Amino acid sequence: MMYIFYILTLGLGCSQPEQQLKQPNIVLISMDGLRADHVGTYGNKNNPTPSVDRLGKEGIVFENGFSQSNESLFSHAALFTGRYVSEIAEPDYQTFIVPEETVLVSEVLQNYGYQTGGFVAGGHVRGNYGFDQGFDEWNDSADFGSFFHKTPQALAWLDQSDRTRPFFMIFHGYDLHRPYLHAQAFFHIFDGEYRGPADQFARRRDTERIYNGEFYGNFPLTHFNHPVGEPILDPFNYERLKQWAATHQGRPLSEEDEQHLKDHYDSAALAADLQIGILIEYLKSEGLWNNTLIIATADHGEDLGEHGFYNHRSTLHDSTTKVPLIVSGGWLPEEFRGTRDNTIANAIDIVPTILTSANAMLPAGLKGRDLLSKEPTSSVGISIQEGVLPMVSIRTHQFRLLFEGMPLSSPLFTLALSAAPLEEPWFYLYDLHTDPSAQTNRIAENQETAELLRQELLQWRKTMQRSTVRGTQPTDPKLKALLQS
């Protein structure tokens, strides 16, 4: 009933007296699968995100925000810990978990008196992957669900919270994640006149059967069983599909078909945005807004045919790693409001930003920065991503260098990275000033730039304290509680 009430009272502006706290409430919103250029404030002409855009107008928009991976499990691990994937556990997608000994932002905030609630839509952000550490309330029901499923649970928890103590909440939904058809109020809100087969292609598994503009409906998808007991779609399907396409006939997608898939994606963005708007209005009507910091971002983007596939795990281009990153809320200092920042901002920067805002001590070894630091920041920066397929990438303002073909968990990875020739199929360099969609490998004419970026990757790899943990979660609740403590 409370959820219905807040839908009906959106925008009425009623508010209760607000109790000022020494530490801000903090809300971290993860819009799973939302790429930056499909958000209104980042240039999407469909404008499917009015609530998120409003956060941007009232806060600071980071125009070059990047995730640390291209998949929910890896990316959320980096997002919640402030560490690179290889620092958390061995970066093998078939075994990866967040180990009990890893410190999550929720655990730190708990020690500083915060009430902690996690409301995530299941999938690869379930508690059995290690994400539930440090939460007073953890709810990962509605497997691969949408914000529509999580909003009532989040508001109910806030209703029952102790208003004399600050809270930290993670709010997550899979609305943008394939199949772009999650529970939502909108279906054909964009391109409503279309009548064709793209509604079939948008289904859960069928998006994985599209390659280079053709749909291969008979392509057999394979899965593996993760040690936590979850079946996961094998990302090597994409390599197999390339080979399959060479000997099988697919059904060509027209320009209208592909545009309709993109419009479904925007409809999903609008559905997610509605629920985020409900949360914003709740905070305002309950008198919580002025003491709340909101960070809205995504764990990865989505390749929408630009590099052959409709998914996010097959590549580390901007389409799958450049994400919205907005810091807003009534607690945000005045000097940041209504501003845009062009520096490169990473997912690993979010934990230092949260903990600094909460006046909490940062765990040792974090490599990210406080995004709200008043110290001057150089306009030059880098972003590094680790893929679930054998690939790693480094991104500057102008260039992206991709290194492919060697698993990150291999003991030979560093040797291969240092010794492989700067050419295909090992390395790919894209000049994003002249080729923003990264279609042409420019490494042959930019060897000096490629070598400089290779050295940056080597420095990153050699100075990192890599984890050797291969994951299984303890099944004994008492043992798990002991490890967490």
Side-chain angles (χ1 to χ4, degrees), residues 341-382:
D341 189 304
N342 191 46
T343 59
I344 287 180
N346 286 293
I348 58 170
D349 297 330
I350 289 176
V351 167
T353 303
I354 288 174
L355 295 181
T356 302
S357 299
N359 294 316
M361 185 177 293
L362 274 62
L366 295 186
K367 296 182 175 65
R369 63 184 175 97
D370 173 15
L371 295 171
L372 300 180
S373 172
K374 295 181 174 61
E375 297 179 4
T377 305
S378 170
S379 60
V380 177
I382 62 170

Side-chain angles (χ1 to χ4, degrees), residues 287-397:
L288 298 170
W289 180 257
N290 289 342
N291 202 56
T292 298
L293 178 72
I294 292 183
I295 300 177
T297 188
D299 62 331
H300 56 75
E302 186 82 347
D303 205 62
L304 297 172
E306 294 92 343
H307 300 97
F309 295 97
Y310 278 80
N311 72 81
H312 44 274
R313 300 184 298 170
S314 61
T315 182
L316 286 174
H317 288 291
D318 278 12
S319 55
T320 63
T321 63
K322 190 171 185 179
V323 296
L325 177 50
I326 296 171
V327 182
S328 189
W331 183 86
L332 186 73
E334 187 67 35
E335 62 263 35
F336 294 109
R337 298 185 184 182
T339 64
R340 302 181 79 92
D341 189 304
N342 191 46
T343 59
I344 287 180
N346 286 293
I348 58 170
D349 297 330
I350 289 176
V351 167
T353 303
I354 288 174
L355 295 181
T356 302
S357 299
N359 294 316
M361 185 177 293
L362 274 62
L366 295 186
K367 296 182 175 65
R369 63 184 175 97
D370 173 15
L371 295 171
L372 300 180
S373 172
K374 295 181 174 61
E375 297 179 4
T377 305
S378 170
S379 60
V380 177
I382 62 170
S383 181
I384 294 174
Q385 289 90 26
E386 298 169 271
V388 295
L389 287 171
M391 60 178 67
V392 66
S393 175
I394 182 169
R395 171 71 150 85
T396 68
H397 275 87

Side-chain angles (χ1 to χ4, degrees), residues 51-355:
S51 299
V52 173
D53 296 345
R54 180 171 55 166
L55 288 176
K57 289 178 182 178
E58 298 173 355
I60 178 171
V61 175
F62 290 90
E63 297 180 331
N64 290 290
F66 291 93
S67 62
Q68 254 52 73
S69 187
N70 59 350
E71 193 277 339
S72 301
L73 176 55
F74 276 18
S75 292
H76 279 103
L79 180 62
F80 294 174
T81 65
R83 299 183 183 278
Y84 288 103
V85 174
S86 291
E87 296 178 295
I88 300 166
E90 188 171 292
D92 181 346
Y93 188 48
Q94 295 199 27
T95 64
F96 185 88
I97 63 163
V98 179
E100 300 292 345
E101 59 266 30
T102 299
V103 178
L104 275 69
V105 63
S106 48
E107 294 178 283
V108 179
L109 292 175
Q110 250 187 353
N111 287 331
Y112 281 85
Y114 273 78
Q115 306 165 86
T116 54
F119 301 92
V120 304
H124 298 163
V125 199
R126 281 191 178 281
N128 57 356
Y129 291 102
F131 290 112
D132 59 349
Q133 301 172 50
F135 286 96
D136 303 321
E137 177 81 15
W138 175 263
N139 190 307
D140 58 13
S141 60
D143 195 23
F144 286 101
S146 66
F147 281 105
F148 173 83
H149 296 107
K150 308 315 297 182
T151 303
Q153 299 161 356
L155 297 190
W157 180 73
L158 289 172
D159 271 341
Q160 298 166 12
S161 64
D162 180 356
R163 298 297 168 91
T164 67
R165 295 171 53 206
F167 65 79
F168 169 66
M169 185 175 79
I170 288 176
F171 188 47
H172 163 264
Y174 276 108
D175 302 66
L176 279 299
H177 197 281
R178 59 164 182 81
Y180 326 137
L181 296 174
H182 293 281
Q184 53 181 280
F186 317 114
F187 189 69
H188 282 168
I189 192 71
F190 305 111
D191 193 20
E193 300 301 316
Y194 173 87
R195 296 293 181 270
D199 289 333
Q200 173 193 346
F201 303 150
R203 294 186 306 189
R204 184 173 181 83
R205 299 300 180 205
D206 283 342
T207 54
E208 308 289 344
R209 293 184 167 99
I210 299 173
Y211 176 62
N212 275 350
E214 296 193 18
F215 173 64
Y216 295 89
N218 294 323
F219 174 68
L221 295 169
T222 59
H223 295 71
F224 64 85
N225 288 319
H226 194 278
V228 302
E230 300 280 352
I232 296 181
L233 190 68
D234 188 345
F236 282 96
N237 279 305
Y238 310 127
E239 298 301 321
R240 292 176 47 245
L241 180 54
K242 289 179 183 179
Q243 300 169 10
W244 178 278
T247 57
H248 291 75
Q249 183 68 39
R251 184 203 182 284
L253 276 66
S254 68
E255 290 185 13
E256 290 78 14
D257 295 335
E258 296 208 56
Q259 182 58 49
H260 192 66
L261 287 173
K262 297 177 176 67
D263 288 331
H264 263 302
Y265 184 79
D266 283 351
S267 294
L270 181 59
D273 188 83
L274 171 62
Q275 303 302 318
I276 292 168
I278 290 170
L279 174 63
I280 292 170
E281 292 304 324
Y282 173 92
L283 295 171
K284 291 183 176 180
S285 66
E286 289 293 304
L288 298 170
W289 180 257
N290 289 342
N291 202 56
T292 298
L293 178 72
I294 292 183
I295 300 177
T297 188
D299 62 331
H300 56 75
E302 186 82 347
D303 205 62
L304 297 172
E306 294 92 343
H307 300 97
F309 295 97
Y310 278 80
N311 72 81
H312 44 274
R313 300 184 298 170
S314 61
T315 182
L316 286 174
H317 288 291
D318 278 12
S319 55
T320 63
T321 63
K322 190 171 185 179
V323 296
L325 177 50
I326 296 171
V327 182
S328 189
W331 183 86
L332 186 73
E334 187 67 35
E335 62 263 35
F336 294 109
R337 298 185 184 182
T339 64
R340 302 181 79 92
D341 189 304
N342 191 46
T343 59
I344 287 180
N346 286 293
I348 58 170
D349 297 330
I350 289 176
V351 167
T353 303
I354 288 174
L355 295 181

